[in-house]
Amino acid sequence: MQLLQNILQNVNVVSTHGTLDVQVQGITFDSRHVREGVLFVAVRGVQADGHAYISKAEEAQAVAIVCDELPQDLKQGITYVQVSDTGVALGQMASAYYGHPSKKLQLVGVTGTNGKTTSVTLLHKLFRELGYHVGMISTVQNQIDEQVIPSTHTTPDAVKLNELLAQMVKAGCTHAFMEVSSHAMVQHRVAGITFAGGVFTNITHDHLDYHGTFDEYIKAKKSFFDMLPKNAFALVNADDKRGPIMVQNTKAEAHFYALRKVVEFKARIIDNTIQGLHLEVDGQEIWAKLIGTFNAYNLLAAYGVAVLLGEDATEALTVLSSLSSAAGRFDYIVSDSQITGIVDYAHTPDALENVLNTIQQIRNPTQKVITLVGCGGNRDAGKRPVMADIACRLSDKVILTSDNPRFEEPQTILEDMQKGVKPLDFKKTLSVLDRKEAIKTACMLAEPNDIILVAGKGHETYQEIKGVKYDFDDKQILREMFQQLGK
């Protein structure tokens, strides 16, 4: 419980109507969660405008209503606070309500198109091994030390985020690592959050259905670094041409990591095999369990963060060499006949190309690569033909199938992908609408020692069709098909 006047301390208030000397017993932007004593914030969202639900919040006896446009009728006994931007105000108030938990943690945010989940997972595992109590907020799951809390968004809403951070503080966490999505930046989910540091992994085309243009997507990512305080660090991938852009206006201290450039945190790949990576990092050689060039970047980012947070460089590298990746990230099983099945979350053109390039690097000349790939419904349709083209270019056989069609017709998505298949690639491409049948087909086509890539869903254990989430686990189905077909 907090006094309303204390919660509003950092908020840009335009006007107030009623007393600020009232106790607030909770904050919500969902009118269905309003009860007596709860503060309702009318946020203008993508699908709904909270201002349309002010009357419902009044009926439910909200103690106060925060809005950027006051209702015509102000009810007695309710305090109304007009602010310049309710999205920003929500984050600032949530932080104050929960006692500014981010200030009590060494909180590092990781943003970029690919590598966020793996980097955050590596950091959580690394700092746990270094002896700290650590929190993690990621696409796969949220964690407080070993306690797993289910995740619904890459970055939770501002209220849930601060509640999670407060739980971490209460549990004795000193460090926390979180993914920061472009959606989160545009929707001000991290407003009011204090970061000790930020990491930029890379940026490629994604979420253009939401941001409209690639420039807007870049601006969303850059805005994270614009908000970092001067006592924070900004660790940026110098090999990405837009890396330096991210830190152009940041007040934070800029640092760089790279494989191809001479920078502060530098690594070189000595060997890249199915068993892992042999790296030279800042002059020291390590063997890591992770596979592929993209994971060399993720390891390097985690190493850079550890050093910037004051950890011993050699100890950090030693621990990193023993760590595994996040679930559904180059997650592989080997059948009895030595067919390698790889499950990966690759759902963007760049991620798919990275995974397939890695497979090309580690396979032997006799191994065929069979790629199964789909694209999600009600999302950026522009990447569909591009992903099909990448799959064809870097695979011996391609099966186009469903991912999470959501409310879109799966056949329409497949037809969009088929536009990216060049005439020369028609013979090696199949379209199998049902994802389970597509996995079975890939297993039937595979011969001993071949490689099957099942791309797009990774850690997800469901398939979303017409608003319903059905149980579906790529890795489990792959395993079942190997057994069923005697592979």
Side-chain angles (χ1 to χ4, degrees):
M1 221 183 302
Q2 294 267 15
L3 275 176
L4 178 56
Q5 61 190 14
N6 294 339
I7 294 172
L8 291 169
Q9 273 183 355
N10 296 316
V11 178
N12 186 3
V13 175
V14 177
S15 64
T16 61
H17 306 265
T19 179
L20 300 182
D21 190 23
V22 289
Q23 292 283 356
V24 173
Q25 294 174 26
I27 298 177
T28 187
F29 58 95
D30 186 336
S31 61
R32 294 169 296 184
H33 297 159
V34 177
R35 63 184 190 281
E36 191 175 352
V38 169
L39 182 154
F40 174 69
V41 186
V43 175
R44 297 186 192 276
V46 179
Q47 293 170 341
D49 182 353
H51 289 77
Y53 298 92
I54 287 176
S55 59
K56 288 193 175 179
E58 291 168 337
E59 287 167 19
Q61 295 184 291
V63 68
I65 289 169
V66 175
C67 50
D68 54 45
E69 188 179 332
L70 289 166
Q72 287 185 334
D73 245 352
L74 302 184
K75 307 293 181 191
Q76 193 137 12
I78 297 176
T79 301
Y80 295 83
V81 180
Q82 186 183 9
V83 298
S84 55
D85 188 318
T86 50
V88 174
L90 177 65
Q92 293 167 331
M93 289 187 292
S95 177
Y97 180 79
Y98 285 102
H100 300 289
S102 60
K103 291 182 178 179
K104 300 166 187 173
L105 294 161
Q106 291 277 70
L107 177 64
V108 177
V110 180
T111 196
T113 305
N114 302 309
K116 296 188 297 296
T117 301
T118 300
S119 297
V120 165
T121 302
L122 286 172
L123 283 163
H124 181 260
K125 291 179 177 180
L126 169 60
F127 277 77
R128 286 277 291 144
E129 288 292 325
L130 291 172
Y132 296 100
H133 292 290
V134 189
M136 177 178 79
I137 297 171
S138 83
T139 304
V140 177
Q141 62 193 29
N142 304 319
Q143 277 186 246
I144 300 173
D145 283 336
E146 292 308 304
Q147 180 195 351
V148 175
I149 300 161
S151 171
T152 55
H153 292 78
T154 298
T155 310
D157 66 69
V159 178
K160 183 63 181 172
L161 174 57
N162 280 280
E163 183 185 4
L164 266 171
L165 294 174
Q167 287 172 2
M168 291 173 188
V169 172
K170 190 177 179 183
C173 292
T174 53
H175 295 71
F177 304 100
M178 68 176 284
E179 295 184 50
V180 180
S181 68
S182 55
H183 290 68
M185 291 310 304
V186 173
Q187 294 168 14
H188 308 296
R189 290 184 218 160
V190 294
I193 298 292
T194 301
F195 288 93
V199 179
F200 170 73
T201 58
N202 51 62
I203 194 161
T204 58
H205 284 254
D206 197 19
H207 301 304
L208 299 195
D209 55 308
Y210 180 80
H211 296 289
T213 66
F214 191 42
D215 279 347
E216 287 302 312
Y217 180 45
I218 292 168
K219 281 180 193 171
K221 294 290 187 191
K222 184 181 180 303
S223 65
F224 171 59
F225 296 93
D226 292 347
M227 71 170 278
L228 291 177
K230 64 180 180 181
N231 60 341
F233 65 81
L235 178 62
V236 170
N237 177 0
D239 286 341
D240 188 293
K241 66 181 181 182
R242 293 177 181 88
I245 294 169
M246 295 293 144
V247 291
Q248 271 179 356
N249 303 314
T250 189
K251 296 185 285 292
E253 191 173 277
H255 300 266
F256 297 90
Y257 68 99
L259 296 180
R260 300 197 302 266
K261 292 192 170 89
V262 179
V263 290
E264 185 178 356
F265 299 107
K266 175 85 169 73
R268 178 173 67 88
I269 297 174
I270 298 168
D271 203 8
N272 180 16
T273 71
I274 195 70
Q275 282 78 39
L277 283 161
H278 184 191
L279 299 170
E280 182 189 339
V281 181
D282 286 349
Q284 298 186 69
E285 285 190 28
I286 66 161
W287 276 100
K289 290 182 178 179
L290 277 66
I291 299 161
T293 303
F294 59 97
N295 273 324
Y297 281 106
N298 295 331
L299 286 160
L300 191 53
Y303 166 70
V305 170
V307 172
L308 291 169
L309 288 176
E311 299 305 311
D312 179 75
T314 303
E315 190 178 4
L317 283 177
T318 302
V319 173
L320 281 168
S321 69
S322 69
L323 300 181
S324 54
S325 187
R329 270 63 176 177
F330 216 94
D331 202 351
Y332 70 93
I333 55 175
V334 181
S335 76
D336 291 342
S337 62
Q338 298 303 298
I339 298 167
T340 300
I342 299 167
V343 172
D344 195 273
Y345 189 52
H347 62 287
T348 66
D350 186 60
L352 183 63
E353 189 159 13
N354 281 338
V355 172
L356 283 168
N357 276 332
T358 296
I359 292 170
Q360 292 295 338
Q361 289 161 16
I362 63 177
R363 74 163 179 164
N364 67 50
T366 62
Q367 289 176 301
K368 290 201 309 289
V369 178
I370 301 166
T371 297
L372 180 150
V373 63
C375 291
N378 306 112
R379 296 291 189 271
D380 183 3
K383 67 184 180 185
R384 294 172 185 172
V386 180
M387 289 181 69
D389 178 51
I390 290 166
C392 290
R393 180 161 46 83
L394 296 170
S395 313
D396 298 290
K397 200 83 181 171
V398 175
I399 301 171
L400 304 179
T401 188
S402 290
D403 190 288
N404 290 318
R406 299 185 179 89
F407 291 96
E408 207 170 341
E409 287 303 318
Q411 186 60 41
T412 304
I413 300 169
L414 242 62
E415 286 166 6
D416 284 345
M417 294 187 76
Q418 286 163 352
K419 291 171 187 172
V421 180
K422 294 182 171 67
L424 283 172
D425 294 324
F426 284 163
K427 281 187 179 179
K428 69 175 182 182
T429 307
L430 295 171
S431 293
V432 181
L433 207 57
D434 181 272
R435 192 173 179 91
K436 188 172 183 177
E437 279 301 310
I439 294 173
K440 184 177 182 178
T441 303
C443 293
M444 289 170 66
L445 291 170
E447 296 173 354
N449 297 314
D450 285 349
I451 298 170
I452 298 170
L453 171 64
V454 182
K457 287 175 58 57
H459 64 282
E460 294 176 351
T461 55
Y462 62 86
Q463 188 175 29
E464 189 178 342
I465 304 168
K466 302 292 184 188
V468 179
K469 289 186 176 180
Y470 298 92
D471 288 345
F472 200 101
D473 185 327
D474 280 350
K475 190 175 179 182
Q476 184 59 36
I477 291 168
L478 190 59
R479 189 181 280 114
E480 286 171 9
M481 291 305 168
F482 280 151
Q483 291 170 352
Q484 187 181 315
L485 298 167
K487 295 279 188 171

